[in-house]
Amino acid sequence: MSLAPLLLRMARLQPDAPALYDGTRLHASYREWAAHSAGLALRLRAAGLQPGDRVLLFMHNHPRYLELLWGAWWAGLAVVPVNAKLHPREVAWIAADAQARWAFVSADLAPDPVAGLERQIDIASAAADELLAPVAEAAAVPLAERQPQDLAWLFYTSGTTGRPKGVMITHRNLMTMGLGYFADVDAIAAGDAIAYAAPMSHGAGLYAIPHLMAGARHVVPASGGFDAAELFALGRQLGPLSLFAAPTIVKRLVDHAEQAGLDEAAAARGFKTIVYGGAPMYAADIRRALRVMGPRFVQIYGQGETPMTGTALSRHHLQDSGHPRHLARLASVGVAQTPVQVRVADAAGRALPPGEVGEVLVRGDSVMAGYWRNPEATAAALREGWLWTGDVGCLDADGFLTLKDRSKDLIISGGSNIYPREVEEVLLTWPGVAEAAVVGMPDAEWGELVVAFVVPQPGAAPTPAQLDAHCLAQLARFKRPRRYELVDALPKNHYGKVLKTALRERLAATRRP
Ligand code: AMP
């Protein structure tokens, strides 16, 4: 079993249906997509690449991403998706660790050869055209024999500390994730369209799988990334679109809709479903998003180790404002997705009762096979079938999971646990606050002190006294920030996650004599 036959299946079922778009331009029908991918598989094999070998993709979002992905799978290879924003030295490290043989790259990202590779192909070159040249009959190119537990996607975690780890994602993992989309996220019809406004090297790219299962259209914005005005325009022309977006991107989409005076009807024409996740979405932000753009949101929680598959907060639950626990549910990440079990556990792995805070564990067919060539890290993360996510949260009696924080982000001040997320939620309800991030600062007396970094709304200038009064009105006294830092922007990683480590380092630097 592998993911490769999904493409052949769809190419037979609807050969002439539009499949891949480069902006508004049709790039390939399903027949053509399969012909390109099968052609690539044929040539990879002829060049001596063997099933199980790794091929690196270090490129901007492009329709060719999907041709390369399925071509590699057709030949039985595993793909190493590399974030386009990584430094060449980081890429070289990943290529060596993964023992990758070939790489397909966007020329501007890798002007020099990545060390250790046998071959590096610029995806816009004549060499790439030759490798991807369509065969007359895709079905005539044999699909490599693969097992469900074979490696499909070797994903390097962003790794805020230390070296990134290669997460081994198998064909079964991705098949489970793909089928789970239909059960927990959304129905997909053949005429639907998914837009890739987030990096295809991450979860957003994996959503190609359910959309291929349903024979939908795959649209890569001409900008290759996120531009709110472009997405609205694409939505009008090819939509309504579905897409995956990190919370910061959702925020910018909603800002754009508001500033451009687009009403809910305009949002409905452009967007079918906006799946958000990957970082906390604050209750105040999702309420505004729902108000401005209507019922087109679904939240998912997952991590590279169980891609896109942990919990989901459905469209229905996001809308169900009459429910007595609606507000609590809005601040949650929803319930376990159909293919997995979710547990909140104590340090020994025992399930904790509702309301108690512990580490979030996930078990099911979406969970990684382990870390590549790293048995120690694998043994720490996978215990008796459960994935220890490093996230901290609690379940309610109905199974809704509320994340508190990453375990390392927890602040302990005067012996009390403070979850930054709770303080951030409160700060964000102050009208002049656009973004907030709360971290702990070492303190001789208290162990740690709560410090809030606040990005004011344009034109606003909240004072520490105002923010303090606001927090005191809503939070236990010991949780309120003792120091406020007004900043223009928060440091974020390539996926839009706030880098709390960088904030802590900034504080440490200001304390040095
Ligand atoms: P990554 O492996 O880079 O995708 O990062 C996964 C981490 O992002 C998770 O372990 C969580 O800490 C965080 N995360 C993912 N989805 C959500 C969500 N819906 N809400 C809050 N945090 C999330």
Side-chain angles (χ1 to χ4, degrees), residues 53-102:
D53 283 348
R54 273 83 51 212
V55 170
L56 210 98
L57 298 186
F58 181 39
M59 49 190 280
H60 298 293
N61 283 2
H62 192 278
R64 278 206 161 159
Y65 212 105
L66 298 180
E67 294 175 346
L68 292 165
L69 196 51
W70 262 272
W73 285 337
W74 203 301
L77 310 182
V79 167
V80 185
V82 180
N83 187 319
K85 290 181 180 160
L86 288 192
H87 188 276
R89 282 177 56 187
E90 297 171 291
V91 182
W93 188 87
I94 289 175
D97 188 67
Q99 299 161 316
R101 293 187 61 183
W102 286 23

Side-chain angles (χ1 to χ4, degrees), residues 166-489:
V167 178
M168 295 191 286
I169 296 297
T170 66
H171 288 275
R172 177 191 276 129
N173 293 154
L174 293 181
M175 192 66 89
T176 303
M177 182 278 306
L179 293 171
Y181 188 96
F182 298 90
D184 300 293
V185 179
D186 204 12
I188 310 174
D192 286 355
I194 176 169
Y196 299 98
M200 294 172 82
S201 55
H202 212 69
L206 292 178
Y207 271 174
I209 294 167
H211 286 84
L212 166 59
M213 286 172 170
R217 293 167 296 146
H218 304 254
V219 180
V220 182
S223 68
F226 172 77
D227 178 305
E230 178 189 32
L231 264 188
F232 267 95
L234 262 186
R236 278 192 298 276
Q237 288 168 281
L238 298 176
L241 305 169
S242 296
L243 62 129
F244 174 80
T248 45
I249 298 295
V250 171
K251 218 167 158 171
R252 281 160 58 190
L253 203 59
V254 175
D255 285 345
H256 175 83
E258 257 187 355
Q259 282 154 17
L262 298 165
D263 59 7
E264 199 189 314
R269 272 195 301 281
F271 300 99
K272 180 185 177 211
T273 303
I274 299 167
V275 186
Y276 65 92
M281 169 72 99
Y282 298 99
D285 290 335
I286 187 60
R287 290 174 81 181
R288 182 171 76 108
L290 289 164
R291 200 171 55 242
V292 175
M293 295 186 66
R296 29 200 54 79
F297 295 91
V298 179
Q299 182 182 196
I300 61 108
Y301 154 69
Q303 58 176 203
E305 289 82 348
T306 175
M308 311 306 262
T309 317
T311 62
L313 184 62
S314 70
R315 197 187 301 262
H316 165 71
H317 286 127
L318 280 165
Q319 282 303 109
D320 190 16
S321 55
H323 193 280
R325 288 187 295 287
H326 181 60
L327 286 184
R329 287 181 171 185
L330 277 188
S332 80
V333 292
V335 300
Q337 288 188 35
T338 306
V340 295
Q341 282 176 280
V342 170
R343 169 184 282 184
V344 166
D346 65 12
R350 284 182 298 255
L352 290 168
E356 283 194 30
V357 176
E359 184 159 347
V360 179
L361 316 189
V362 179
R363 178 162 80 176
D365 277 350
S366 58
V367 171
M368 67 164 179
Y371 294 110
W372 175 254
R373 300 197 305 154
N374 196 338
E376 298 81 28
T378 303
L382 293 179
R383 289 179 245 162
E384 289 158 20
W386 290 96
L387 168 70
W388 290 64
T389 63
D391 291 313
V392 173
C394 64
L395 286 164
D396 73 7
D398 302 328
F400 285 77
L401 176 69
T402 300
L403 293 181
K404 299 294 179 184
D405 279 290
R406 303 284 301 165
S407 42
K408 61 180 184 322
D409 290 337
L410 175 75
I411 301 170
I412 305 181
S413 186
S416 300
N417 287 2
I418 298 160
Y419 297 104
R421 166 98 189 242
E422 197 184 345
V423 185
E424 291 158 3
E425 291 272 11
V426 168
L427 286 170
L428 284 165
T429 58
W430 180 258
V433 173
E435 289 184 86
V438 166
V439 295
M441 181 172 84
D443 179 78
E445 188 181 356
W446 295 94
E448 279 182 296
L449 283 184
V450 180
V451 178
F453 286 82
V454 169
V455 182
Q457 292 281 10
T463 64
Q466 286 171 324
L467 294 172
D468 194 49
H470 179 65
C471 286
L472 270 176
Q474 295 179 66
L475 282 172
R477 205 174 176 82
F478 72 90
K479 294 182 185 170
R480 74 188 212 282
R482 298 308 172 90
R483 180 168 152 185
Y484 288 94
E485 297 280 334
L486 294 190
V487 290
D488 294 336

Side-chain angles (χ1 to χ4, degrees), residues 79-162:
V79 167
V80 185
V82 180
N83 187 319
K85 290 181 180 160
L86 288 192
H87 188 276
R89 282 177 56 187
E90 297 171 291
V91 182
W93 188 87
I94 289 175
D97 188 67
Q99 299 161 316
R101 293 187 61 183
W102 286 23
F104 290 89
V105 304
S106 300
D108 62 318
L109 297 177
D112 302 316
V114 176
L117 293 168
E118 287 169 34
R119 192 164 175 203
Q120 177 167 320
I121 303 114
D122 167 2
I123 57 145
S125 65
D129 292 343
E130 273 171 39
L131 285 165
L132 281 158
V135 289
E137 186 59 61
V141 179
L143 291 154
E145 188 58 41
R146 292 271 83 190
Q147 298 301 316
Q149 67 274 18
D150 285 333
L151 184 63
W153 176 261
L154 184 58
F155 172 79
Y156 280 77
T157 54
S158 27
T160 42
T161 52

